[in-house]
Amino acid sequence: MASAGALLNKRRFLPLFVTQLLGAFNDNLYKNAMVLFVVYSVYNDETAETWFSAIATAVFILPFFLLSALAGQLADTRDKAAIIRIVKFCEIIIMLVGGTGLYMAWAGMAVHSIAIPLMMLALFAMGIHSTFFGPIKYAILPQHLNDDEVLGGTGLVEAGTYIAILLGTILAGWIPVEVAGIAVVITAMIGYMTGRQVPPAPAMIERTKLDYNFIRASISLIKATMKVRRVFLAIVAISFFWTIGAVLFIQFPPLAKNVLTASKEVASLFLVVFSIGVAIGSVAINALLKGTVSARYSPVSVIVMGLFVVAFFFVCRQWVPDTAGSLFTVGEFIRHSMAIPLLLSLLGIAVAGGMFVVPLYAFLTTTVHKSEAARTIAANNIVNSGAMVIGSLIAIGLSLAGLQVIYQLLLSAAMCVVAAWLGHLLHKASLEPHGDHELDG
């Protein structure tokens, strides 16, 4: 990691890294402040709470499905640094809307009729913001970094992202919601300033007319990108990983409140532990692979992840809730006899997940030509977001069907087996002499 850490001293990496870190921080501060406030202060029913958490996840993800093809076209045919400046300016406006919604909800002003719709509108807009920034944050790396720096840079971006998620999640659970409304606006302003420092990253292919028909553009992009076997397998495996992640994140707030009888600060703690784990896994896999892009550890990593999900399920089954009918504070939760096994199993899920997914992103940016990297990431985002929306809908359906949130954990564990099979296929394809050949059709 010495060479990767040295990138933090380079202008070709540091401004992008900080801008991405601030964006991830703001996304999670805003989304979690909104979800935790609504789950703990507006609704009082496990089904409604799971439903709202799932809807919020789907609303944020939907723009990736609709607009990633356009985002990929822009990133490959326009200067990426110029797009960053525009996107980060829009974030300021979006957070002014979202911050207003948070303040109104806190003040009890038209909570259901205006405040929650405003917050959802801002969440959808932040999804659009992330859709256009997403292809750039990975595709710009091969353009600014040397070939032997790409895996290390990708690992730093992933680790930094989850540290930012960690910080945003901590604040969302601990600071008052009205303060969060102000903080997201300030963070957006700082992100715009750092984004202006990203060095130019001119288009590597000729400027072309954009296709604004998102259905046609998405289908065309996916077909063109996924003809390469290694890219196809990497995208499908990443999609399964993020579907598992989406289902778990949907479950955490209602699980903490209704199964573990814990406060919103404890729900925030779950997300914090998860974020720390993915950051650890992101750094660890880079050290194990020593800068080589390989999926050799991916199958076993995701199997271990599934085993930890099962362990998490059994610990939750053995959990003794607060008999007083109140919610555990963080201190009371930590003193619970099952708290350490619970947190360790959650940490294990996240570490193994980080070790699984980071090499797959590196495959996407190193298998194709640098001029196609942004569109490859965009195609990945389309497939990922579609899979995550399906995962959200499954979580909603299971909740409406009366299946307790604790048993929905087993769905995530079962999906890890499929992800391991895909990781195995990817590793085999990467070892073949013609592992980058196009698929038939």
Side-chain angles (χ1 to χ4, degrees):
M1 276 300 289
S3 61
L7 293 174
L8 295 174
N9 296 322
K10 309 294 184 182
R11 183 170 178 249
R12 57 195 171 97
F13 180 78
L14 181 60
L16 174 71
F17 176 77
V18 175
T19 302
Q20 161 62 14
L21 187 148
L22 290 171
F25 168 84
N26 226 21
D27 280 349
N28 285 274
L29 173 58
Y30 175 73
K31 180 185 174 185
N32 287 306
M34 180 189 78
V35 171
L36 290 174
F37 180 80
V38 172
V39 167
Y40 278 86
S41 302
V42 177
Y43 296 123
N44 192 30
D45 174 76
E46 180 181 316
T47 298
E49 292 155 6
T50 305
W51 180 85
F52 178 82
S53 183
I55 288 294
T57 299
V59 164
F60 182 75
I61 294 168
L62 187 59
F64 287 91
F65 186 70
L66 299 177
L67 300 173
S68 284
L70 177 60
Q73 294 176 65
L74 276 171
D76 273 338
T77 59
R78 272 58 169 182
D79 189 303
K80 298 175 183 65
I83 297 174
I84 288 174
R85 289 193 291 272
I86 295 171
V87 168
K88 301 313 287 186
F89 176 77
C90 291
E91 183 182 2
I92 298 174
I93 300 172
I94 295 166
M95 285 309 180
L96 284 169
V97 175
T100 301
L102 289 174
Y103 179 83
M104 290 181 65
W106 166 74
M109 299 167 55
V111 175
H112 293 281
S113 60
I114 298 179
I116 289 179
L118 267 183
M119 291 189 289
M120 284 294 195
L121 175 63
L123 188 64
F124 182 74
M126 280 305 292
I128 296 175
H129 157 277
S130 298
T131 299
F132 283 91
F133 188 79
I136 294 172
K137 73 178 181 184
Y138 290 111
I140 204 171
L141 295 179
Q143 196 168 344
H144 281 170
L145 304 183
N146 299 323
D147 289 344
D148 61 351
E149 295 174 326
V150 173
L151 181 63
T154 302
L156 281 175
V157 169
E158 284 295 297
T161 296
Y162 281 95
I163 290 171
I165 291 172
L166 159 69
L167 296 175
T169 304
I170 290 174
L171 282 182
W174 286 87
I175 66 175
V177 70
E178 69 274 18
V179 176
I182 299 172
V184 293
V185 176
I186 294 173
T187 303
M189 292 177 176
I190 299 173
Y192 171 70
M193 293 168 61
T194 60
R196 291 186 61 85
Q197 305 306 311
V198 176
M204 302 187 70
I205 60 176
E206 184 179 350
R207 190 183 183 105
T208 58
K209 184 178 180 180
L210 300 175
D211 187 352
Y212 291 97
N213 184 321
F214 72 87
I215 297 177
R216 180 179 61 217
S218 297
I219 293 173
S220 175
L221 178 61
I222 292 171
K223 288 175 65 176
T225 302
M226 297 182 72
K227 282 183 178 180
V228 181
R229 178 171 171 78
R230 286 205 293 184
V231 172
F232 168 80
L233 291 170
I235 288 176
V236 176
I238 291 171
S239 296
F240 263 88
F241 172 81
W242 285 118
T243 303
I244 296 166
V247 173
L248 287 173
F249 270 65
I250 287 167
Q251 294 162 349
F252 283 159
L255 181 74
K257 180 183 178 184
N258 299 292
V259 177
L260 306 176
T261 60
S263 65
K264 71 183 182 75
E265 289 81 10
V266 176
S268 177
L269 177 64
F270 282 7
L271 299 174
V272 166
V273 171
F274 195 88
S275 301
I276 291 174
V278 176
I280 293 171
S282 301
V283 174
I285 194 64
N286 184 58
L288 281 172
L289 292 174
K290 297 180 173 58
T292 304
V293 178
S294 170
R296 80 170 73 108
Y297 296 113
S298 292
V300 67
S301 294
V302 77
I303 287 294
V304 171
M305 178 181 171
L307 293 175
F308 274 116
V309 172
V310 174
F312 185 76
F313 163 79
F314 279 112
V315 174
C316 289
R317 283 286 308 275
Q318 299 299 316
W319 188 269
V320 178
D322 188 348
T323 55
S326 58
L327 299 176
F328 289 121
T329 64
V330 171
E332 292 167 342
F333 173 82
I334 295 297
R335 289 192 294 270
H336 194 287
S337 60
M338 298 297 290
I340 299 304
L342 188 80
L343 293 176
L344 286 177
S345 59
L346 182 59
L347 183 67
I349 293 170
V351 171
M355 295 182 68
F356 171 75
V357 78
V358 167
L360 306 188
Y361 276 108
F363 267 109
L364 296 185
T365 55
T366 57
T367 299
V368 299
H369 190 271
K370 294 178 182 179
S371 64
E372 301 173 348
R375 279 170 293 174
T376 302
I377 295 296
N380 173 67
N381 288 344
I382 295 170
V383 180
N384 288 179
S385 57
M388 291 169 73
V389 168
I390 291 171
S392 300
L393 293 175
I394 290 172
I396 293 172
L398 292 175
S399 295
L400 293 176
L403 183 66
Q404 293 180 354
V405 66
I406 186 174
Y407 292 103
Q408 295 179 30
L409 290 169
L410 297 177
L411 171 65
S412 300
M415 292 179 66
C416 289
V417 177
V418 180
W421 174 66
L422 292 168
H424 173 69
L425 292 180
L426 174 60
H427 181 51
K428 281 182 60 179
S430 68
L431 297 177
E432 294 171 0
H434 305 290
D436 290 338
H437 72 276
E438 293 193 355
L439 298 172
D440 294 334

